């Protein structure tokens, strides 16, 4: 939720342009800015936008949309939880969109018959990006809720978000191989 830019020397002019790329997951996202001096830590000055709403990003595609989940990712799509240290876990990543309050989120694994295999996460989250490549954030080690390694095959990773005005569920397949 923060970006810090350290400059090699003090800026003496009246303007400075900083370009960056970011994921925006909530409509009317506001980017605020404060400046500080490395020689005076804790002393910050707020910066006002030069033009009205120049520091806001609007996402017209989200207005009226029922999308709460975007970019559900499973990485790698096939993994081998055999304890050899290579592809023993699968990372799960997703974006939650347009949620304005902490909302219930569940990530579960089902077999292809629809039986629950494992609850990976059940809690509350805000709009945000959760990266599948960061396996430490949310991952599955190929075990069921009893701790036993599941048989090889295809499984469904299901993501459920209980939003402000609607609920959304998405699923992706993941392969377990030995």
């Amino acid at each position: 939720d923060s970006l810090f830019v350290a400059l090699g020397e003090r800026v003496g002019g009246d303007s400075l342009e900083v370009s960056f790329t970011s994921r925006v997951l909530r409509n009317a996202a506001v980017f605020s800015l404060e400046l500080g001096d490395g020689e005076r830590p804790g002393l910050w000055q707020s910066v006002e936008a030069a033009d009205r709403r120049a520091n806001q990003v609007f996402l017209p595609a989200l207005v009226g949309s029922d999308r709460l989940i975007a970019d559900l990712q499973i990485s790698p799509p096939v993994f081998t939880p055999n304890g050899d240290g290579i592809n023993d876990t699968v990372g799960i990543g997703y974006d939650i969109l347009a949620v304005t309050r902490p909302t219930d989120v569940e990530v579960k694994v089902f077999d292809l018959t629809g039986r629950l295999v494992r609850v990976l996460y059940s809690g509350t989250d805000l709009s945000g990006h959760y990266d599948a490549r960061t396996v430490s954030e949310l991952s599955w080690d190929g075990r069921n809720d009893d701790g036993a390694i599941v048989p090889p095959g295809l499984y469904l990773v299901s993501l459920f978000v209980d939003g402000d005005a609607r609920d959304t569920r998405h699923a992706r397949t993941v392969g377990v191989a030995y």
Side-chain angles (χ1 to χ4, degrees), residues 44-172:
W44 296 93
Q45 176 181 341
S46 63
V47 176
E48 300 297 323
D51 297 319
R52 184 172 181 254
R53 295 190 175 159
N55 63 336
Q56 293 182 359
V57 176
F58 293 95
L59 303 171
L62 281 182
V63 177
S65 170
D66 62 352
R67 289 182 59 196
L68 293 179
I69 301 170
D71 205 20
L72 176 57
Q73 297 176 4
I74 306 297
S75 180
V78 176
F79 74 114
T80 57
N82 57 11
D84 67 357
I86 301 169
N87 285 334
D88 283 335
T89 59
V90 64
I92 297 128
Y94 52 90
D95 292 338
I96 297 178
L97 307 172
V99 173
T100 59
R101 63 169 173 80
T103 187
D104 292 333
V105 175
E106 295 177 344
V107 181
K108 298 179 178 179
V109 178
F110 295 89
D111 66 16
L112 292 183
T113 67
R115 281 187 300 234
L116 178 64
V117 172
R118 178 101 178 255
V119 176
L120 298 177
Y121 177 75
S122 182
T124 58
D125 286 327
L126 290 168
S127 289
H129 171 68
Y130 303 88
D131 194 345
R133 292 168 297 182
T134 309
V135 173
S136 62
E137 281 192 32
L138 183 60
S139 63
W140 181 39
D141 60 2
R143 296 183 183 277
N144 63 22
D145 275 336
D146 295 329
I149 293 182
V150 299
L154 286 177
Y155 293 84
L156 293 173
V157 174
S158 173
L159 169 63
F160 172 77
V161 176
D162 180 10
D164 297 337
R166 61 196 170 277
D167 302 338
T168 302
R169 182 179 310 272
H170 282 264
R172 295 280 184 272

Side-chain angles (χ1 to χ4, degrees), residues 33-49:
L33 176 68
E34 293 181 336
L35 295 176
D37 185 340
E39 294 177 12
R40 300 166 110 185
L43 182 61
W44 296 93
Q45 176 181 341
S46 63
V47 176
E48 300 297 323

